[in-house]
Amino acid sequence: MGADLVSIANSGARAARTALDVTANNIANASSAGYIRRSVGLSELGANSVSSAPTAINLAGVRVSGVVRNADMFRQAEVRRTGSDAARAGAEVTGLENIEAALEQTGVYDSIVGFEGGLQQLLSDPVDGSLRASVVEQGRTLAQTFNVAAKSLDAVGEGLRFEALDGVDAVNRIAGELARVNLRLSRAADASSDQTALLDQRDNLLQELSGHVDLTTSFNADKTVAVIIGGPSGGALVSGGAAGTMAMTTAPGGTVAFTLDGNAVTIGGGAIAGKSLALTELAQDHIKLDAVASSLITTVNNAQAAGVDLAGNSGQPLFAGTGAADMAMVASGGGALATAPASAGAQSRNPANLVALRSALGTADPAGGMDALLFGVSSAVAGRSITRDALASISSSAQVALQAQAGVDLDQEAVNLVRYQQAYQASARIMQVASDIFDSVLAIR
Amino acid sequence: MSIVSTSTGAFFERARSDMKNLRTQAEGLQAQLSSGNKLDRSSDNPVAASRLRALDRLTSLSSIDAANAGRANSDLTLADAAMSDITDALVRAQELASQAATGTTTDEQRSSIATELDQIHGSLLSLANARDSDGHALFGGEGAGDAYQLDASGNAVYVGTPAAGELPLGEGQSVTRSMTGPEFLAFTDGSGNTTDLLATIKGLADALKGGATDPASAARDALGTLQTGLDTLTTGQTVVGTRLAWIELTTDRRSNLADLRSTEQADLGATDVTSTIARLQETLLVLEASQSSFGKLSDLSLFSMLH
C-alpha cells in the first residue's frame, strides 16, 4: 500500500513537471510567430490487478494523455482567406500607386499645357525668333516627358513582373516544404510534441502561402493537408507528399498568366493576383498614353504639312515617332514652325496656319486626354485604397481573433506556473507521507 | 476592434497597430500643414485633382492672354499716338491749303507752301510707316515690310495686307491689334473718287508748284477733300480708342476670373490651417493617451507580483 502511494505521488509529480515544462515552453514562445499555445492533457490512470475484484477501488495515479494544441481550424482558415484578399488588394494598390506616380510626377500634363501656351504666345508675333524657339523647346520638353513617362511605366511593369515571379518562386518553395511536412506528419506519433511542432509549421506555411495565392485546403485524418490553388476547381498544388510546380508566362503587352504543372490556372487572391491585376491596368494605361502622344504627333504634323515655314518652304513634321516611347522633336529650329498658310511667302506674319494648328489641338485635346488618363488611374487608386483598407482591417481582426484564442497569455501562464508548482510540491509531500507511514509500520515491534 | 483579447501577443499587436494608425494620421496632417496642400497626389481626391489641373492650365494660359493683351494695348496706344501726329500734320496742311486758296497769295508764296506740303507728305509717309512694339509696320496689316512705299512717280502706295492681325484675349474674345493704313487714310472725295490723304496732299503740292492752271481753285477743292480725310482719320482714332477700352474690359474680366479661380483652387487644394491644427492636436492627444495607457497596461504582469 505504501508502495502504491509512492507510485501515485510519483505519477503526480511527473505530470506536474510535464505541465511545468509545457508552461515554460509557452512562456518562452510567447512572441514566436505562429506558435500555438499548448496545454497538457491529463487523465486518471486506471489499473486493474488480477487479484482484485472488478468492483474494487483501484487507484493508480495520473498520466499525461497528450500535449493539446489549442488551434481553431475555422479561425486559421479565416486568417488565410482574409489575408489572401488583403495581400491581393495591397499589391494591386501599390502597383497602381506606382503607375500614378509614373504618369503624374513626370509632368506630362504640365508640358502639354506649356506647349499650348507657347503656341498661344507665338500668335502675338509669328515671326519672332525667340517665341518660335521657345515653342520648339517646349515641344522638345513635351516629347521628352512623354518618353520619361513611357519609360517609368515600363519600369513599373518590370518591377511588378519581377515581384510576381518572386511570388511564384515562393509558392513553389512553400509547396515543397508543405509536401515534406506532410510526409513527416504521416509518420509522427499522435499528440506528441513532435507532431504539434509539425502542425505549427504546417499552419505557418499555409498562412505564408495564402499571402501569395488564394488557396483551398482540406485536412486528412493523419493531419496532412491538401492544397488547391486558383479556386476550389483549380489545380492541386500539394497533395500528400507531392508538390506541383507553378510557372508564370508574360504576354506581349506585359500582362502575366500562370500555369500549374503546365495547366492554366486563374489566381484570384494573394499578392500575385494583385500584381497581375496591376499589370493589366498598366497595359491599358500604356495604350492610353500612347494614344494621347500619337494624336498629338499626328495633329501637329498634319497642321505643319498644311502651311509654310519662316523661309516659305512647305512645313515639315515637328515630331517623329508613333507613341509615347519613341516621340521626338525633329525640327532643326524655330524657323521650321509652319505658322503661315500655304499661299504665303517667306517671313510671312500671317498666322492662319498657327490658328488652324491651335484649333486642331483644341479638337484633339491632348491635355483633356491626359487629364482623363490621370483621373482614371488616380480614382482607381482612391477606390482600391478604400477596399484595401477595409480588407486589411478585416484581415487584422481575424488575426487578432486567432491570436486571442491560440496565442500565449502570460498572466494565465503565471497562474499555471504557480498551480503546477503547488501540485508538484503536494505530490512530493505525499511521497514523504508514504515514507512516514512505511517507517511507522517498520517501527511496530 | 471589439475582441477582448486574452493573449499577450494579441494585446501587443493591437496596441502596435492602433498607435501606428494614429501616428500615420498625425504625420499626414503634419504633411498637409507643412506643404500647404491638402492633396499630396491625385488619388487623395481624384475629382479635386482633375479640377485643380484644369484650373492650373487656365491660369497658365490666362497669363499668356494677359501678355498678349498687353502687347495689343501697346500697339493700339502707339497707333493712337501716330494718328494724333497725323491729325496735327493735317491741321497744318489745312492751314496751308486755306492760305494757298486765298487769291492774294503770290505764286512764290504758293511755291513755298508747296515745299512745306512736300515736307508734310514726307512726315505723313513716315508716320504711316510707324513701327509697332515688335518692330513691324504698325499700319501695314500682317505685311513683312513697310506699309507704304513710294512708286516711281513719288506716289505713296499701300503694300501691306488687307487686314490687321487679331490677338486672342482669352475666353474666346479677341481684338484687332491695329488698323491698316487704308482703313483711316483712304476715303471717297467730293467727286466720288477713292483717294487717300497722302495722295491729296501730294496732289495739292504738285498743283501749287505749277501743275494746275488755277492753283487757288485746286487749293479750295483740296480744303474740302482734306476735311473729309480728317473726318475719316478721326473715325479711325475713335475705333482705336474703342478697342483700347475693349482690352481694358477684358483685362478686368480676366482678373475677376483669376480671383475666382484662385478662390476655387484654395478651396479645393489648400490646407485649412485652423481645422487641420485642431485635428492634429486631437490626434496627438489620443496618441499620447494610448501610449501612456499602453505603458501602464504592459507594466501589469502577474510575474511581477510573484515572489
Side-chain angles (χ1 to χ4, degrees):
Chain A
M1 184 210 166
D4 276 1
L5 204 53
V6 169
S7 77
I8 289 173
N10 183 25
S11 74
R14 265 213 324 265
R17 230 200 51 218
T18 309
L20 281 172
D21 283 351
V22 168
T23 305
N25 200 41
N26 282 345
I27 292 172
N29 283 297
S31 59
S32 303
Y35 181 83
I36 306 251
R37 179 166 61 89
R38 279 141 210 196
S39 50
V40 172
L42 299 175
S43 56
E44 188 190 358
L45 184 62
N48 286 346
S49 65
V50 197
S51 58
S52 61
T55 51
I57 299 169
N58 283 296
L59 299 171
V62 67
R63 73 183 180 93
V64 176
S65 58
V67 177
V68 182
R69 195 168 157 269
N70 297 279
D72 182 334
M73 303 276 267
F74 172 72
R75 287 187 183 182
Q76 284 182 330
E78 275 300 285
V79 166
R80 283 198 293 272
R81 187 182 63 78
T82 58
S84 190
D85 284 346
R88 187 205 66 220
E92 190 187 359
V93 169
T94 312
L96 286 176
E97 277 176 348
N98 289 340
I99 297 173
E100 187 195 14
L103 288 176
E104 189 172 25
Q105 288 166 9
T106 44
V108 176
Y109 184 87
D110 296 335
S111 65
I112 293 177
V113 174
F115 185 63
E116 285 180 327
L119 290 175
Q120 188 178 342
Q121 199 156 18
L122 186 58
L123 270 183
S124 71
D125 186 3
V127 294
D128 187 312
S130 57
L131 290 181
R132 280 174 165 266
S134 136
V135 169
V136 169
E137 285 317 307
Q138 271 157 339
R140 201 183 305 281
T141 311
L142 177 64
Q144 280 165 354
T145 51
F146 265 112
N147 296 158
V148 173
K151 277 202 196 93
S152 311
L153 280 185
D154 288 343
V156 170
E158 282 297 316
L160 282 170
R161 279 190 290 278
F162 178 76
E163 284 170 3
L165 194 61
D166 188 50
V168 169
D169 290 346
V171 167
N172 287 333
R173 174 183 57 79
I174 295 168
E177 283 179 29
L178 265 177
R180 275 194 292 282
V181 169
N182 271 349
L183 281 181
R184 286 169 62 194
L185 264 178
S186 58
R187 293 169 195 153
D190 196 32
S192 65
S193 281
D194 187 28
Q195 196 193 34
T196 49
L198 281 172
L199 290 176
D200 273 3
Q201 212 178 341
R202 181 198 71 189
D203 292 345
N204 252 345
L205 287 170
L206 283 177
Q207 195 169 330
E208 202 185 329
L209 187 60
S210 73
H212 296 293
V213 289
D214 57 330
L215 47 114
T216 315
T217 52
S218 53
F219 296 94
N220 304 316
D222 58 359
K223 299 190 176 166
T224 57
V225 65
V227 179
I228 294 171
I229 59 170
S233 55
L237 182 67
V238 179
S239 171
T245 309
M246 199 178 162
M248 185 178 98
T249 53
T250 308
T255 53
V256 292
F258 303 97
T259 56
L260 180 61
D261 290 334
N263 303 317
V265 65
T266 314
I267 306 296
I272 291 180
K275 297 193 194 315
S276 169
L277 287 173
L279 279 168
T280 309
E281 174 85 26
L282 175 83
Q284 286 165 1
D285 290 337
H286 211 311
I287 290 171
K288 286 181 195 160
L289 183 71
D290 277 341
V292 172
S294 134
S295 122
L296 204 120
I297 295 169
T298 319
T299 311
V300 172
N301 287 351
N302 284 350
Q304 277 286 111
V308 295
D309 63 12
L310 197 58
N313 305 319
S314 85
Q316 297 302 309
L318 274 195
F319 292 113
T322 52
D326 58 354
M327 185 177 180
M329 163 62 72
V330 289
S332 47
L337 287 171
T339 54
S343 54
Q347 295 289 327
S348 169
R349 289 171 64 206
N350 187 336
N353 200 47
L354 179 58
V355 171
L357 167 59
R358 291 193 63 225
S359 132
L361 271 184
T363 314
D365 198 12
M370 197 61 212
D371 180 52
L373 174 56
L374 283 173
F375 180 74
V377 177
S378 59
S379 46
V381 172
R384 306 281 209 293
S385 300
I386 294 172
T387 318
R388 177 204 52 194
D389 291 349
L391 289 174
S393 139
I394 292 172
S395 157
S396 151
S397 299
Q399 256 169 5
V400 169
L402 176 66
Q403 274 282 313
Q405 184 257 344
V408 177
D409 175 12
L410 283 177
D411 285 352
Q412 198 183 337
E413 299 306 329
V415 170
N416 282 347
L417 200 62
V418 175
R419 189 165 97 198
Y420 292 124
Q421 191 184 359
Q422 284 175 353
Y424 188 86
Q425 283 165 351
S427 291
R429 179 85 189 126
I430 287 168
M431 283 183 211
Q432 202 184 348
V433 167
S435 162
D436 286 354
I437 291 174
F438 195 65
D439 282 352
S440 58
V441 170
L442 286 183
I444 294 172
R445 295 166 210 238
Chain B
M1 277 175 242
S2 58
I3 297 154
V4 178
S5 141
T6 51
S7 144
T8 309
F11 166 71
F12 277 97
E13 175 61 27
R14 221 176 37 209
R16 187 194 63 80
S17 91
D18 284 351
M19 284 191 287
K20 184 175 147 252
N21 281 347
L22 283 168
R23 170 112 201 157
T24 312
Q25 276 179 30
E27 279 179 13
L29 291 170
Q30 199 276 330
Q32 285 186 16
L33 279 177
S34 58
S35 72
N37 288 326
K38 241 189 286 193
L39 306 181
D40 182 32
R41 51 197 303 167
S42 289
S43 50
D44 291 343
N45 186 346
V47 180
S50 170
R51 182 79 191 124
L52 281 175
R53 273 196 295 276
L55 288 172
D56 281 344
R57 173 167 181 263
L58 287 178
T59 306
S60 123
L61 294 184
S62 173
S63 68
I64 293 169
D65 285 334
N68 282 354
R71 219 172 247 246
N73 195 40
S74 59
D75 283 357
L76 285 169
T77 311
L78 284 172
D80 189 44
M83 284 159 99
S84 297
D85 290 347
I86 293 176
T87 312
D88 292 347
L90 274 188
V91 171
R92 178 65 189 145
Q94 267 184 325
E95 283 172 19
L96 293 172
S98 32
Q99 275 179 31
T102 316
T104 53
T105 312
T106 62
D107 283 352
E108 286 73 26
Q109 281 170 326
R110 287 212 176 90
S111 164
S112 68
I113 286 174
T115 314
E116 190 171 351
L117 280 173
D118 276 342
Q119 291 300 314
I120 290 177
H121 180 260
S123 58
L124 279 184
L125 183 65
S126 62
L127 279 172
N129 277 333
R131 300 284 148 173
D132 68 6
S133 50
D134 298 322
H136 302 298
L138 190 52
F139 300 118
E142 286 165 351
D146 284 346
Y148 283 88
Q149 275 173 4
L150 292 177
D151 63 8
S153 48
N155 294 313
V157 182
Y158 181 66
V159 293
T161 61
E166 289 206 338
L167 267 187
L169 297 176
E171 317 290 333
Q173 311 300 328
S174 59
V175 69
T176 312
R177 59 197 294 177
S178 178
M179 298 190 88
T180 60
E183 276 175 338
F184 64 95
L185 291 175
F187 56 92
T188 313
D189 66 8
S191 38
N193 301 319
T194 305
T195 180
D196 69 38
L197 279 171
L198 290 158
T200 309
I201 289 179
K202 172 135 182 26
L204 178 58
D206 290 349
L208 294 183
K209 274 189 250 174
T213 43
D214 183 1
S217 151
R220 273 194 297 279
D221 288 349
L223 260 183
T225 315
L226 278 179
Q227 188 53 49
T228 318
L230 198 58
D231 288 349
T232 314
L233 184 59
T234 317
T235 312
Q237 217 170 352
T238 315
V239 169
V240 168
T242 318
R243 285 179 187 164
L244 282 169
W246 170 238
I247 291 177
E248 199 171 327
L249 198 71
T250 52
T251 305
D252 283 355
R253 186 172 148 68
R254 191 177 319 109
S255 67
N256 285 342
L257 286 173
D259 282 354
L260 280 179
R261 267 200 301 272
S262 60
T263 313
E264 192 178 349
Q265 273 172 329
D267 283 351
L268 285 173
T271 312
D272 177 358
V273 175
T274 324
S275 73
T276 309
I277 288 180
R279 276 170 55 212
L280 181 60
Q281 279 295 346
E282 182 192 345
T283 313
L284 287 179
L285 184 71
V286 176
L287 179 58
E288 213 177 309
S290 61
Q291 279 171 344
S292 84
S293 60
F294 169 75
K296 286 248 188 290
L297 272 179
S298 56
D299 270 354
L300 269 187
S301 168
L302 197 50
F303 284 99
S304 54
M305 309 292 165
L306 300 173
H307 296 291

